[in-house]
Amino acid sequence: MKTAMKFQNKSPEEIVRRYRRNVRLKQGLVILALLAYTAFAIREIWWNDVSFLGLLLGELLVFLALTPVGVWIAWDFLALNAILNINCDPVTYAQVMHLLGQKRNRKRSAITIQINEAIGDMWTGRFSEALSLVKSLPELNAGDQISVLYIRFNCCIKLKDIEGALQARQETKALTSTAKKSSLQKRGEQLLDMMASSLALEQGDYASFRHMEETGKHTSTVNIQQVTAAFHLAKADMAQGDTQSAVARLEYVAKMGGTLYITEAAQNLLAELKENPHGSQQEQP
């Protein structure tokens, strides 16, 4: 929660400046440690005739000791996800990733940044733009492929491209069935579960949708998941005539949804329900 709070009321430019400053500071500490050991090694060789092998082993130990620093540096990048997952602010998140992508990055980092920007665009409702960003990414590893399939499926559903959504689901099944890492298999199974739930909602099968939401593997553990689940359940409530539950859920989404595209949709649905609380029970778009 502290991580999420430090990004609130900050401009994308300010967030990126602080991120880069912290990374440079930590990288500087690594370089300083290596320089200090190099100076020590030269002194030992010159004055004390220490074996080169012994110093080489010592340098290896230094590298191992600095491994946690590398994790520390990577944590700064992962912490940026709190902008989206906790603060529900995809507008800022997408802009932060866009700014990071403008600088020269290693190929692996550049791909991750572009995928993250696409996820931000998707949650702001810019579905076509999100698809364009991931359309021709080169040499994706299995984890990146899962992320891209997640984007493709969601965007195709929102753009009413059911064929494209089903194709993304089929590719996810194939990737999950051949995954060697258990963590990737679990992630793929969660994504397939979410896809099945979304398709049930899209097709108006509310009983199956509710059952999958209650028993599925895609548990809602962070704010963005809880807000999204509430919005989808509210749509099911409205279609089934449970206005009271729909209003409660939509009010929660309107309060907690930040800049998610579903926040404005929730506000519009609330206004409609207040004007006509016993109106149409058809599913809203």
Side-chain angles (χ1 to χ4, degrees):
M1 189 62 68
K2 285 184 178 180
T3 300
M5 289 179 64
K6 72 180 182 181
F7 297 126
Q8 290 180 342
N9 303 317
K10 299 289 192 303
S11 69
E13 292 78 11
E14 186 177 355
I15 292 171
V16 170
R17 281 197 302 270
R18 180 176 295 183
Y19 165 78
R20 288 183 173 142
R21 183 174 65 245
N22 289 343
V23 170
R24 284 195 296 266
L25 176 61
K26 293 171 184 179
Q27 289 173 336
L29 291 174
V30 172
I31 293 171
L32 185 62
L34 291 175
L35 289 175
Y37 182 80
T38 301
F40 169 77
I42 293 174
R43 179 182 179 280
E44 289 297 300
I45 292 173
W46 186 262
W47 294 103
N48 298 328
D49 196 25
V50 175
S51 71
F52 178 75
L53 180 59
L55 290 173
L56 189 61
L57 290 173
E59 188 167 357
L60 178 60
L61 289 175
V62 171
F63 273 110
L64 291 175
L66 290 174
T67 298
V69 179
V71 175
W72 189 28
I73 292 173
W75 169 252
D76 279 346
F77 183 76
L78 293 175
L80 295 174
N81 291 333
I83 301 171
L84 178 64
N85 294 335
I86 307 300
N87 294 348
C88 295
D89 188 0
V91 171
T92 298
Y93 184 76
Q95 291 173 351
V96 165
M97 291 300 156
H98 183 72
L99 290 171
L100 290 176
Q102 289 179 337
K103 295 290 183 179
R104 180 175 295 181
N105 298 286
R106 291 183 295 109
K107 186 176 182 180
R108 177 84 268 128
S109 298
I111 290 174
T112 301
I113 289 169
Q114 191 163 333
I115 290 174
N116 287 354
E117 183 181 352
I119 291 174
D121 281 345
M122 178 185 73
W123 282 112
T124 61
R126 303 178 60 199
F127 306 115
S128 297
E129 291 84 347
L131 284 174
S132 297
L133 280 172
V134 299
K135 188 175 182 179
S136 57
L137 287 173
E139 300 178 20
L140 298 178
N141 61 34
D144 289 338
Q145 289 179 53
I146 286 284
S147 297
V148 168
L149 288 167
Y150 163 74
I151 294 167
R152 282 176 49 197
F153 177 86
N154 279 334
C155 290
C156 286
I157 284 287
K158 297 305 177 185
L159 294 171
K160 303 300 181 182
D161 180 8
I162 303 302
E163 183 178 347
L166 292 174
Q167 177 63 34
R169 186 186 180 204
Q170 186 61 37
E171 291 178 31
T172 304
K173 280 185 178 179
L175 182 61
T176 302
S177 65
T178 57
K180 296 180 180 179
K181 293 183 178 180
S182 59
S183 59
L184 187 61
Q185 287 180 340
K186 182 179 179 181
R187 188 177 168 198
E189 289 169 357
Q190 290 173 335
L191 181 55
L192 286 169
D193 200 54
M194 181 276 292
M195 289 175 171
S197 176
S198 296
L199 284 171
L201 180 64
E202 183 69 20
Q203 294 164 357
D205 186 357
Y206 304 113
S208 296
F209 167 72
R210 289 184 186 279
H211 177 72
M212 283 185 274
E213 283 294 307
E214 292 170 358
T215 63
K217 298 175 182 178
H218 57 292
T219 54
S220 300
T221 57
V222 294
N223 291 358
I224 190 172
Q225 294 172 333
Q226 293 168 359
V227 170
T228 304
F231 180 72
H232 290 160
L233 286 167
K235 291 174 70 177
D237 289 336
M238 291 179 64
Q240 295 178 307
D242 190 351
T243 303
Q244 186 176 357
S245 293
V247 168
R249 287 189 168 112
L250 290 171
E251 287 176 343
Y252 170 75
V253 175
K255 179 181 178 181
M256 303 298 295
T259 61
L260 296 172
Y261 75 92
I262 58 176
T263 303
E264 183 177 356
Q267 292 168 345
N268 292 337
L269 290 174
L270 275 173
E272 291 177 16
L273 287 175
K274 289 178 180 179
E275 288 180 7
N276 188 12
H278 302 294
S280 173
Q281 295 179 6
Q282 297 297 316
E283 180 185 1
Q284 300 296 318

Short mmCIF file of all heavy atoms in Angstrom, two decimals, residues 210 229-253 269-270 273 277:
data_model
loop_
_atom_site.label_atom_id
_atom_site.label_comp_id
_atom_site.label_asym_id
_atom_site.label_seq_id
_atom_site.Cartn_x
_atom_site.Cartn_y
_atom_site.Cartn_z
N ARG A 210 -21.65 -16.43 -13.03
CA ARG A 210 -21.59 -16.29 -11.57
C ARG A 210 -20.87 -17.48 -10.94
O ARG A 210 -20.08 -17.32 -10.01
CB ARG A 210 -22.99 -16.16 -11.00
CG ARG A 210 -23.67 -14.85 -11.29
CD ARG A 210 -25.02 -14.77 -10.60
NE ARG A 210 -25.75 -13.57 -10.98
CZ ARG A 210 -25.53 -12.37 -10.45
NH1 ARG A 210 -24.61 -12.21 -9.53
NH2 ARG A 210 -26.24 -11.33 -10.85
N ALA A 229 -14.34 -7.22 -11.29
CA ALA A 229 -15.32 -8.27 -10.96
C ALA A 229 -16.64 -7.65 -10.53
O ALA A 229 -17.72 -8.12 -10.92
CB ALA A 229 -14.76 -9.16 -9.85
N ALA A 230 -16.59 -6.58 -9.74
CA ALA A 230 -17.82 -5.91 -9.29
C ALA A 230 -18.60 -5.34 -10.47
O ALA A 230 -19.83 -5.43 -10.52
CB ALA A 230 -17.47 -4.80 -8.30
N PHE A 231 -17.89 -4.77 -11.44
CA PHE A 231 -18.56 -4.20 -12.61
C PHE A 231 -19.26 -5.28 -13.43
O PHE A 231 -20.41 -5.12 -13.84
CB PHE A 231 -17.55 -3.45 -13.47
CG PHE A 231 -18.15 -2.82 -14.70
CD1 PHE A 231 -18.96 -1.71 -14.59
CD2 PHE A 231 -17.90 -3.34 -15.96
CE1 PHE A 231 -19.53 -1.12 -15.72
CE2 PHE A 231 -18.46 -2.78 -17.09
CZ PHE A 231 -19.27 -1.66 -16.97
N HIS A 232 -18.57 -6.38 -13.66
CA HIS A 232 -19.16 -7.46 -14.45
C HIS A 232 -20.35 -8.09 -13.73
O HIS A 232 -21.37 -8.41 -14.35
CB HIS A 232 -18.10 -8.52 -14.75
CG HIS A 232 -17.05 -8.05 -15.72
ND1 HIS A 232 -15.82 -8.63 -15.83
CD2 HIS A 232 -17.06 -7.02 -16.62
CE1 HIS A 232 -15.12 -8.01 -16.76
NE2 HIS A 232 -15.85 -7.03 -17.24
N LEU A 233 -20.24 -8.26 -12.43
CA LEU A 233 -21.36 -8.82 -11.66
C LEU A 233 -22.54 -7.85 -11.65
O LEU A 233 -23.71 -8.28 -11.65
CB LEU A 233 -20.91 -9.13 -10.23
CG LEU A 233 -20.01 -10.38 -10.09
CD1 LEU A 233 -19.36 -10.42 -8.70
CD2 LEU A 233 -20.82 -11.65 -10.34
N ALA A 234 -22.25 -6.56 -11.64
CA ALA A 234 -23.32 -5.57 -11.69
C ALA A 234 -24.09 -5.66 -13.01
O ALA A 234 -25.33 -5.54 -13.04
CB ALA A 234 -22.75 -4.16 -11.52
N LYS A 235 -23.36 -5.90 -14.09
CA LYS A 235 -24.04 -6.06 -15.39
C LYS A 235 -24.94 -7.30 -15.39
O LYS A 235 -26.05 -7.27 -15.92
CB LYS A 235 -23.00 -6.16 -16.50
CG LYS A 235 -22.25 -4.86 -16.75
CD LYS A 235 -21.12 -5.05 -17.75
CE LYS A 235 -21.65 -5.30 -19.14
NZ LYS A 235 -20.55 -5.42 -20.14
N ALA A 236 -24.44 -8.36 -14.75
CA ALA A 236 -25.27 -9.56 -14.63
C ALA A 236 -26.49 -9.29 -13.75
O ALA A 236 -27.61 -9.74 -14.06
CB ALA A 236 -24.44 -10.71 -14.07
N ASP A 237 -26.28 -8.54 -12.66
CA ASP A 237 -27.40 -8.18 -11.78
C ASP A 237 -28.49 -7.43 -12.55
O ASP A 237 -29.68 -7.71 -12.41
CB ASP A 237 -26.90 -7.30 -10.62
CG ASP A 237 -26.06 -8.06 -9.61
OD1 ASP A 237 -26.22 -9.30 -9.52
OD2 ASP A 237 -25.25 -7.42 -8.93
N MET A 238 -28.05 -6.46 -13.35
CA MET A 238 -29.01 -5.66 -14.10
C MET A 238 -29.79 -6.52 -15.09
O MET A 238 -31.01 -6.37 -15.23
CB MET A 238 -28.28 -4.54 -14.84
CG MET A 238 -27.70 -3.47 -13.95
SD MET A 238 -26.82 -2.19 -14.87
CE MET A 238 -28.15 -1.49 -15.83
N ALA A 239 -29.07 -7.41 -15.77
CA ALA A 239 -29.74 -8.26 -16.76
C ALA A 239 -30.74 -9.20 -16.11
O ALA A 239 -31.73 -9.58 -16.73
CB ALA A 239 -28.69 -9.06 -17.54
N GLN A 240 -30.47 -9.55 -14.84
CA GLN A 240 -31.36 -10.49 -14.14
C GLN A 240 -32.35 -9.77 -13.22
O GLN A 240 -33.07 -10.41 -12.45
CB GLN A 240 -30.51 -11.48 -13.33
CG GLN A 240 -29.66 -12.38 -14.24
CD GLN A 240 -28.78 -13.33 -13.45
OE1 GLN A 240 -28.02 -12.90 -12.58
NE2 GLN A 240 -28.88 -14.62 -13.73
N GLY A 241 -32.38 -8.43 -13.27
CA GLY A 241 -33.38 -7.68 -12.54
C GLY A 241 -33.07 -7.38 -11.09
O GLY A 241 -33.93 -6.89 -10.36
N ASP A 242 -31.84 -7.63 -10.65
CA ASP A 242 -31.46 -7.36 -9.26
C ASP A 242 -30.86 -5.95 -9.19
O ASP A 242 -29.65 -5.77 -9.09
CB ASP A 242 -30.47 -8.40 -8.76
CG ASP A 242 -30.22 -8.30 -7.26
OD1 ASP A 242 -30.68 -7.32 -6.65
OD2 ASP A 242 -29.54 -9.19 -6.71
N THR A 243 -31.72 -4.96 -9.22
CA THR A 243 -31.27 -3.57 -9.28
C THR A 243 -30.51 -3.15 -8.02
O THR A 243 -29.51 -2.43 -8.10
CB THR A 243 -32.47 -2.63 -9.48
OG1 THR A 243 -33.16 -3.02 -10.68
CG2 THR A 243 -32.01 -1.19 -9.60
N GLN A 244 -30.97 -3.60 -6.87
CA GLN A 244 -30.34 -3.20 -5.61
C GLN A 244 -28.87 -3.63 -5.56
O GLN A 244 -27.99 -2.84 -5.21
CB GLN A 244 -31.10 -3.79 -4.42
CG GLN A 244 -30.59 -3.31 -3.07
CD GLN A 244 -31.43 -3.83 -1.91
OE1 GLN A 244 -32.44 -4.50 -2.12
NE2 GLN A 244 -31.03 -3.52 -0.70
N SER A 245 -28.60 -4.87 -5.92
CA SER A 245 -27.22 -5.37 -5.93
C SER A 245 -26.40 -4.64 -6.99
O SER A 245 -25.23 -4.30 -6.78
CB SER A 245 -27.19 -6.87 -6.19
OG SER A 245 -27.75 -7.58 -5.11
N ALA A 246 -27.03 -4.38 -8.14
CA ALA A 246 -26.33 -3.69 -9.23
C ALA A 246 -25.90 -2.30 -8.79
O ALA A 246 -24.75 -1.88 -9.04
CB ALA A 246 -27.22 -3.62 -10.46
N VAL A 247 -26.78 -1.58 -8.13
CA VAL A 247 -26.46 -0.22 -7.68
C VAL A 247 -25.30 -0.24 -6.69
O VAL A 247 -24.38 0.57 -6.77
CB VAL A 247 -27.70 0.45 -7.05
CG1 VAL A 247 -27.32 1.73 -6.31
CG2 VAL A 247 -28.73 0.75 -8.13
N ALA A 248 -25.34 -1.17 -5.73
CA ALA A 248 -24.28 -1.25 -4.72
C ALA A 248 -22.93 -1.52 -5.38
O ALA A 248 -21.91 -0.89 -5.04
CB ALA A 248 -24.59 -2.35 -3.71
N ARG A 249 -22.91 -2.42 -6.35
CA ARG A 249 -21.65 -2.76 -7.02
C ARG A 249 -21.18 -1.60 -7.91
O ARG A 249 -19.99 -1.28 -7.96
CB ARG A 249 -21.83 -4.03 -7.85
CG ARG A 249 -21.93 -5.29 -6.98
CD ARG A 249 -21.86 -6.54 -7.85
NE ARG A 249 -21.66 -7.72 -7.04
CZ ARG A 249 -22.56 -8.69 -6.86
NH1 ARG A 249 -23.75 -8.60 -7.45
NH2 ARG A 249 -22.28 -9.74 -6.12
N LEU A 250 -22.10 -0.97 -8.60
CA LEU A 250 -21.72 0.14 -9.48
C LEU A 250 -21.21 1.33 -8.68
O LEU A 250 -20.28 2.04 -9.11
CB LEU A 250 -22.91 0.56 -10.35
CG LEU A 250 -23.33 -0.45 -11.43
CD1 LEU A 250 -24.64 -0.04 -12.07
CD2 LEU A 250 -22.22 -0.60 -12.48
N GLU A 251 -21.78 1.57 -7.51
CA GLU A 251 -21.29 2.65 -6.65
C GLU A 251 -19.86 2.36 -6.20
O GLU A 251 -19.03 3.26 -6.09
CB GLU A 251 -22.22 2.83 -5.45
CG GLU A 251 -23.54 3.49 -5.81
CD GLU A 251 -24.49 3.58 -4.63
OE1 GLU A 251 -24.27 2.86 -3.63
OE2 GLU A 251 -25.46 4.37 -4.70
N TYR A 252 -19.57 1.10 -5.91
CA TYR A 252 -18.22 0.70 -5.52
C TYR A 252 -17.24 0.95 -6.68
O TYR A 252 -16.15 1.49 -6.48
CB TYR A 252 -18.21 -0.78 -5.13
CG TYR A 252 -16.83 -1.37 -4.95
CD1 TYR A 252 -16.06 -1.07 -3.83
CD2 TYR A 252 -16.30 -2.22 -5.91
CE1 TYR A 252 -14.79 -1.60 -3.67
CE2 TYR A 252 -15.03 -2.76 -5.76
CZ TYR A 252 -14.28 -2.46 -4.64
OH TYR A 252 -13.02 -2.98 -4.49
N VAL A 253 -17.65 0.57 -7.89
CA VAL A 253 -16.80 0.78 -9.06
C VAL A 253 -16.56 2.26 -9.30
O VAL A 253 -15.44 2.70 -9.57
CB VAL A 253 -17.42 0.13 -10.31
CG1 VAL A 253 -16.59 0.44 -11.55
CG2 VAL A 253 -17.53 -1.39 -10.13
N LEU A 269 -24.27 3.94 -15.98
CA LEU A 269 -25.29 2.95 -15.61
C LEU A 269 -26.02 3.36 -14.34
O LEU A 269 -27.24 3.17 -14.22
CB LEU A 269 -24.65 1.58 -15.44
CG LEU A 269 -24.14 0.91 -16.73
CD1 LEU A 269 -23.39 -0.37 -16.41
CD2 LEU A 269 -25.31 0.62 -17.68
N LEU A 270 -25.29 3.92 -13.39
CA LEU A 270 -25.91 4.40 -12.15
C LEU A 270 -26.93 5.49 -12.46
O LEU A 270 -28.04 5.51 -11.88
CB LEU A 270 -24.85 4.94 -11.20
CG LEU A 270 -24.15 3.93 -10.30
CD1 LEU A 270 -23.00 4.59 -9.54
CD2 LEU A 270 -25.14 3.31 -9.31
N LEU A 273 -30.04 3.94 -13.87
CA LEU A 273 -30.82 3.22 -12.86
C LEU A 273 -31.57 4.19 -11.95
O LEU A 273 -32.70 3.90 -11.52
CB LEU A 273 -29.91 2.32 -12.03
CG LEU A 273 -29.40 1.06 -12.74
CD1 LEU A 273 -28.41 0.32 -11.87
CD2 LEU A 273 -30.56 0.14 -13.11
N PRO A 277 -35.31 3.07 -12.25
CA PRO A 277 -34.89 1.91 -11.46
C PRO A 277 -35.58 0.61 -11.83
O PRO A 277 -35.07 -0.46 -11.55
CB PRO A 277 -35.23 2.31 -10.02
CG PRO A 277 -36.28 3.35 -10.14
CD PRO A 277 -35.97 4.10 -11.40
#
